[in-house]
Amino acid sequence: MSEADLDLVIVGGGPAGLTAGLYAARARLRTRLVEMLSPGGQVLNTHWVDNYPGFPEGVSGFELVDRMRQQAERFDLDIASGEVIGLERDGDSIRIRLADGEIAAKCLIIATGSQPQKLGVPGEAAMIGKGVSYCATCDGPFYRDVEVAVVGGGDTAVEEALFLTRFASRVHLFHRRDELRATGILREKILAEPKVEVHWSSVLTEIRSNDAGMVRGVRCRDLKTGDESDLAVEGVFMFVGMKPVTACLAGFVELDHAGFVVTDDLLQTSQTGVWAAGDVRAKKFRQISTAVGDGANAAFMAEKYIEDHFSRR
Ligand code: NAP
């Protein structure tokens, strides 16, 4: 396939991008999905997925996205590794600048997803990989029979804290309010888990290291009393929300105040022929199932756009 002949480029290979790719490949659009590493997105960091329809016993995050990739490739979706570093309109087409070259397409779906937010406390940056982690699935097994801290009160923090109880002797969950944001079933599970101690209305103010530069504890503050105390832990897992991956979009499409891509109801961005799908899009709910819906929607829009604006060869 000559690069100038591409109908559609999809940037990002998580559930939204892979679903867009599946639909576009079946519509016989000449499509390339560009993914920085291997396809999967944040779901790869999720140990177990219990709320994706069709898997009554649940499914591992890895298996779920691997099945999505296989399904898209069965219809000949072209998946390429590459880092998109810039986008620009060039007449009827869009130029996609990659770290090692350039491709062009008639239209584009942005499905770059999101990545974990940093907490921003002293010690955090210096100890990433030395006790500070943003992925329990990746790093949990390193914390067998020791105490760990988890920060956050959303679905991710609670799911990952529950996963960590398989390894750690005790999991201290720090949440800045006295009510969890996580959904009902997860709230029930965490409050019933004897290995988890929830530190309500509490925040970390510092992560402390030992002489080897590894995490040895945290300093925390009770927001109701103002009291500060120290707690010895060997790992600190941060789950304080996600931020959109939009470095390559600067100046190309409109972003909201938090940096998410603004779209209309049909996922059209501020740029003609460009849609956004999945976690990168400004929207209220971020689930695998909603990302998949976005991906299908965006691919249909791309197909219609090409039919309306170009003659299909
Ligand atoms: P989230 O829902 O935005 O929750 C972030 C949590 O971190 C909140 O509890 C928030 O506290 C806390 N937080 C934020 N900034 C903080 C700070 N500076 N200091 C201390 N705490 C801070 O993020 P998420 O849990 O990663 O979830 C992201 C999206 O993915 C959500 O839409 C979620 O529903 C979805 N998700 C779904 C599943 C599932 O369905 N199984 C699993 C994972 C994620 P407050 O509550 O006080 O704001």
Side-chain angles (χ1 to χ4, degrees), residues 168-237:
S169 55
R170 192 143 198 81
V171 176
H172 298 269
L173 179 70
F174 287 86
H175 182 40
R176 63 184 177 181
R177 291 188 292 137
D178 53 12
E179 190 183 8
L180 293 168
R181 178 180 292 276
T183 196
I185 190 166
L186 292 175
R187 290 201 302 265
E188 285 169 16
K189 280 187 180 170
I190 198 104
L191 297 178
E193 172 51 60
K195 272 187 165 182
V196 174
E197 183 176 338
V198 183
H199 299 252
W200 299 106
S201 302
S202 296
V203 293
L204 300 195
T205 54
E206 188 183 344
I207 302 171
R208 296 193 159 163
S209 62
N210 61 20
D211 291 344
M214 307 288 287
V215 168
R216 73 166 166 86
V218 291
R219 184 141 185 89
C220 37
R221 180 187 301 136
D222 181 318
L223 293 174
K224 289 203 167 151
T225 64
D227 291 346
E228 295 234 352
S229 55
D230 289 312
L231 180 72
V233 292
E234 294 188 22
V236 183
F237 290 81

Side-chain angles (χ1 to χ4, degrees), residues 32-99:
R32 180 170 303 169
L33 184 152
V34 180
E35 164 61 46
M36 184 125 82
L37 300 167
S38 52
Q42 281 302 314
V43 185
L44 285 177
N45 296 339
T46 305
H47 172 69
W48 199 251
V49 178
D50 260 336
N51 58 357
Y52 191 75
F55 294 88
E57 309 302 328
V59 59
S60 79
F62 176 83
E63 183 181 348
L64 181 60
V65 284
D66 197 52
R67 282 169 170 259
M68 290 182 185
R69 177 192 59 75
Q70 288 178 39
Q71 192 174 358
E73 287 186 331
R74 180 157 72 88
F75 296 99
D76 299 327
L77 176 66
D78 172 14
I79 299 179
S81 298
E83 184 186 1
V84 176
I85 55 173
L87 298 163
E88 60 193 66
R89 175 159 289 288
D90 182 9
D92 266 355
S93 63
I94 293 152
R95 285 146 75 97
I96 298 112
R97 277 192 289 118
L98 300 162

Side-chain angles (χ1 to χ4, degrees), residues 51 119 153-156 159 175-177 181 240-241 286-287:
N51 58 357
L119 184 61
D155 287 338
T156 309
E159 275 188 348
H175 182 40
R176 63 184 177 181
R177 291 188 292 137
R181 178 180 292 276
V240 293
R286 294 194 169 80
Q287 298 284 308

Side-chain angles (χ1 to χ4, degrees), residues 152-165:
D155 287 338
T156 309
V158 172
E159 275 188 348
E160 303 302 293
L162 287 167
F163 176 68
L164 286 165
T165 61

Side-chain angles (χ1 to χ4, degrees), residues 268-303:
Q268 164 81 54
T269 68
S270 57
Q271 187 79 241
T272 306
V274 180
W275 300 268
D279 281 9
V280 74
R281 186 166 83 80
K283 60 177 180 175
K284 189 154 176 60
F285 300 111
R286 294 194 169 80
Q287 298 284 308
I288 303 170
S289 50
T290 61
V292 159
D294 278 5
N297 192 339
F300 278 127
M301 294 306 295
E303 184 182 7

Side-chain angles (χ1 to χ4, degrees), residues 42 45 114-118 134-135 238-243:
Q42 281 302 314
N45 296 339
S114 58
Q115 62 189 25
Q117 189 78 254
K118 305 269 190 304
Y134 303 84
C135 177
M238 309 285 191
F239 304 110
V240 293
M242 307 296 289
K243 64 173 186 191

